[in-house]
Amino acid sequence: MASSSSTSSFDGTKLPGGVPWAFIGAVAILLAVEVAVRLAPPARVIPYRGGLEEHFAIANYLHRVGAADVGFVGSSMTRAGIAAPQVREELEAVTGQSLYIANYGASGATADETSAIVHYMVRRNALPRLLMYEVSPPHFRPSTSFRLRKVAIFWGLHDWIGAWHLSPRQRMRVMPIVVRNEIGDRYLTFRYRDRFRYLAQELIGFSRALPAPMAGRLPQNWHQRASFAQASEERRERLVLRWLQGNSIDPEARLNEELVADMRRTLETARRLKIPMVLYEMPLTATARQTLPPHFFDDFYALMEDFSQRYGVPFIRIEDLGIELTDEDFADPSHLNRQGAMRLTQALTQRVIIPAMAGEGSLADGGVLRLTGRVLLASVDDDEQTNIGDDTDVQDRE
Amino acid sequence: MQFNSFEQAWTLVRGLGGGTLAVLGTSNLNLSIVLACGALLLGVQLAQQYKNDMYVLLRLPVPIRAAVYAAGILIFFSFGEYYGEQFVYFQF
């Protein structure tokens, strides 16, 4: 559109002036993009890739989609080892309802990040009806330090202001992340900005869209890996070496106290808000277990039993599920392959999730979670809630 | 830049080959982005040269300019570096 006036540039050239129609048009286009982003199905617009961006995807799904019926939180072990579609299929068959099962497993997430995720769920009113919380001994390795930048992905300005325990330098370091989170809460085009880049990459064939486990899909890229048992000697050595690089623990080391405190905070929140929660152990290969000091396992199981009783949260060990996982079920020392994920998920669904979610005495029936026998979950009266995980259960296990 | 010896020049070329250029070359995607941006800049410069007008972009029809501005903002959002290391002066 021609303008009626003009202005001069620094070199004297006459430039178009007057009403900035092109600028107004650009704003209109951006508004139209924002409307389209808000109307599109979440899985089409929320970017999903591995690594750090996985944490953003979790925040984005919780922000946009809200509460799942069953939500799994944990590390990449959960991302690879829990098949959300299978949980949905089996649970829907029992309940006859359409359900949303979300796998919020994220690379390297331990108690600090999981605590941030659970507290983000609380703030966003996006707590699942049943929260499945992954636990495993390596998550308490002493070498793990507080991952501030990952934790801050789940922070708003309020959290940042309240984080007085951080040094000024740490606060400044994560301030840009928090500011971007605040902008992203209001402007979804900005929040999902990576999706435009991925879309361009997909259009020119440099990458393909990945199914997001937090949307209830299978992590197909992980499940395409060959089994650990069938790996060549060279590949096996490489995988074990990689495992050792991240999980080498001093023979005298004890559980990481900071991470224990982070988990305790999450459990206190769960008890205060009466969040139905189950702690489930993710399996390791015998190879991985042999690399960790034996007392580390003893400390871990003692801590989980203590948490279970203190906070009234059932703790499910692998042996409680009645399955034995071998190297055939793993892709590497600590991640299940498709076969292993299906086996673990089926056992967990049948023995824990269905009894917790459906039928007489379940959460749907107004009950609360409780261990009876070894793993069966049934209801008790509200005032008995703190008795979950009674002595009989512990003795049974021992 | 002036080199006092062929060895110095060769060191610089090797540094580019083994450093900056190698980083770009290890990812076809990164290389493509650099080439696309370069092509875009070259296109604008050619248009400026052809029209003998430094402000050729500003004289495009309003709808096209609006689309270019909006695309520029989206590209800025999407390709921005958000989680890199701090600017070197703030690291100490």
Side-chain angles (χ1 to χ4, degrees):
Chain A
M1 186 180 294
S3 58
S4 57
S5 62
S6 64
T7 184
S8 294
S9 70
F10 67 90
D11 61 357
T13 310
K14 290 290 180 193
L15 294 174
V19 180
W21 290 112
F23 175 73
I24 294 169
V27 171
I29 291 171
L30 292 174
L31 283 175
V33 170
E34 175 71 5
V35 171
V37 164
R38 286 175 182 264
L39 293 177
R44 296 293 297 273
V45 290
I46 296 179
Y48 172 67
R49 284 289 192 277
L52 186 64
E53 294 183 20
E54 213 163 44
H55 295 67
F56 287 101
I58 291 171
N60 287 338
Y61 271 93
L62 288 169
H63 177 268
R64 175 76 180 268
V65 184
D69 292 287
V70 180
F72 293 82
V73 289
S75 68
S76 56
M77 290 161 72
T78 279
R79 179 192 56 205
I82 297 293
Q86 185 164 346
V87 180
R88 186 177 69 242
E89 194 177 303
E90 293 186 28
L91 202 51
E92 284 182 346
V94 175
T95 62
Q97 298 170 343
S98 179
L99 301 169
Y100 169 33
I101 314 297
N103 183 339
Y104 301 118
S107 292
T110 56
D112 50 355
E113 292 163 53
T114 307
S115 172
I117 292 171
V118 172
H119 287 96
Y120 185 77
M121 288 173 171
V122 173
R123 283 198 307 281
R124 299 292 317 174
N125 198 21
L127 279 164
R129 286 166 60 202
L130 176 63
L131 181 62
M132 300 292 292
Y133 187 115
E134 171 204 317
V135 290
S136 184
H139 293 351
F140 295 94
R141 56 183 171 259
S143 58
T144 303
S145 54
F146 182 51
R147 275 80 55 89
L148 180 59
R149 291 216 301 178
K150 287 185 174 181
V151 166
I153 291 169
F154 301 94
W155 279 5
L157 207 53
H158 183 76
D159 304 289
W160 184 78
I161 292 169
W164 293 111
H165 58 285
L166 298 180
S167 68
R169 189 175 165 184
Q170 284 177 311
R171 289 165 69 87
M172 289 307 293
R173 195 165 179 227
V174 295
M175 188 181 69
I177 299 176
V178 173
V179 171
R180 285 194 289 267
N181 290 347
E182 289 290 336
I183 297 170
D185 277 354
R186 293 155 184 84
Y187 184 33
L188 296 190
T189 303
F190 182 74
R191 190 178 183 96
Y192 305 150
R193 55 194 179 275
D194 289 331
R195 185 69 188 108
F196 298 102
R197 189 170 75 246
Y198 296 156
L199 199 60
Q201 293 171 10
E202 287 159 19
L203 285 173
I204 56 178
F206 274 115
S207 66
R208 59 188 174 82
L210 292 177
M214 48 293 282
R217 309 275 303 277
L218 277 180
Q220 286 171 354
N221 48 326
W222 282 87
H223 283 176
Q224 283 166 353
R225 298 180 177 193
S227 98
F228 188 53
Q230 291 165 356
S232 65
E233 199 58 40
E234 186 189 352
R235 177 173 162 73
R236 209 178 158 85
E237 275 178 24
R238 207 169 53 242
L239 291 171
V240 172
L241 192 62
R242 193 186 301 166
W243 157 263
L244 283 171
Q245 283 169 347
N247 295 281
S248 186
I249 295 175
D250 189 285
E252 302 301 318
R254 314 309 291 195
L255 301 182
N256 185 320
E257 281 304 319
E258 285 182 21
L259 292 172
V260 170
D262 282 323
M263 186 169 174
R264 186 175 285 118
R265 257 193 300 280
T266 305
L267 291 167
E268 281 167 359
T269 301
R271 182 168 62 181
R272 182 165 48 82
L273 300 176
K274 296 190 174 176
I275 302 169
M277 182 194 270
V278 172
L279 309 178
Y280 65 98
E281 182 189 9
M282 279 305 283
L284 296 167
T285 54
T287 307
R289 292 177 74 91
Q290 283 162 9
T291 63
L292 301 174
H295 76 265
F296 210 76
F297 286 91
D298 298 337
D299 292 352
F300 166 75
Y301 289 122
L303 178 71
M304 291 305 118
E305 295 294 357
D306 177 56
F307 277 168
S308 177
Q309 293 189 42
R310 191 182 300 268
Y311 296 102
V313 178
F315 168 48
I316 311 297
R317 290 169 69 153
I318 292 298
E319 66 197 50
D320 296 329
L321 297 176
I323 53 170
E324 196 172 326
L325 296 159
T326 67
D327 284 0
E328 289 287 346
D329 299 299
F330 284 84
D332 62 29
S334 60
H335 295 93
L336 292 169
N337 59 18
R338 187 186 177 92
Q339 174 184 300
M342 293 299 174
R343 291 187 63 205
L344 176 73
T345 304
Q346 189 175 37
L348 209 51
T349 305
Q350 291 298 328
R351 295 202 179 212
V352 179
I353 298 171
I354 287 176
M357 294 290 288
E360 194 178 338
S362 67
L363 295 171
D365 197 34
V368 292
L369 299 187
R370 179 173 184 266
L371 272 175
T372 55
R374 289 178 70 85
V375 294
L376 182 66
L377 296 158
S379 74
V380 291
D381 295 331
D382 277 344
D383 58 357
E384 289 182 43
Q385 201 175 357
T386 52
N387 294 331
I388 298 169
D390 55 35
D391 291 340
T392 314
D393 303 329
V394 178
Q395 284 163 8
D396 280 348
R397 282 180 177 153
E398 288 168 354
Chain B
M1 184 178 289
Q2 184 179 329
F3 299 107
N4 295 323
S5 67
F6 179 76
E7 193 181 344
Q8 280 184 3
W10 179 237
T11 303
L12 179 80
V13 172
R14 269 193 319 168
L16 284 172
T20 312
L21 294 180
V23 168
L24 294 174
T26 51
S27 158
N28 285 338
L29 177 64
N30 286 345
L31 194 58
S32 302
I33 291 170
V34 171
L35 290 177
C37 292
L40 201 65
L41 280 176
L42 189 64
V44 171
Q45 299 238 332
L46 286 174
Q48 288 171 331
Q49 174 77 17
Y50 179 72
K51 292 280 187 182
N52 195 24
D53 181 0
M54 284 292 285
Y55 304 99
V56 65
L57 277 184
L58 295 178
R59 297 185 212 288
L60 288 171
V62 166
I64 296 177
R65 267 195 293 148
V68 168
Y69 295 165
I73 290 169
L74 290 177
I75 289 170
F76 179 75
F77 282 172
S78 193
F79 286 87
E81 174 55 65
Y82 293 95
Y83 300 95
E85 283 305 311
Q86 283 180 307
F87 185 52
V88 67
Y89 290 161
F90 295 131
Q91 290 182 25
F92 302 100

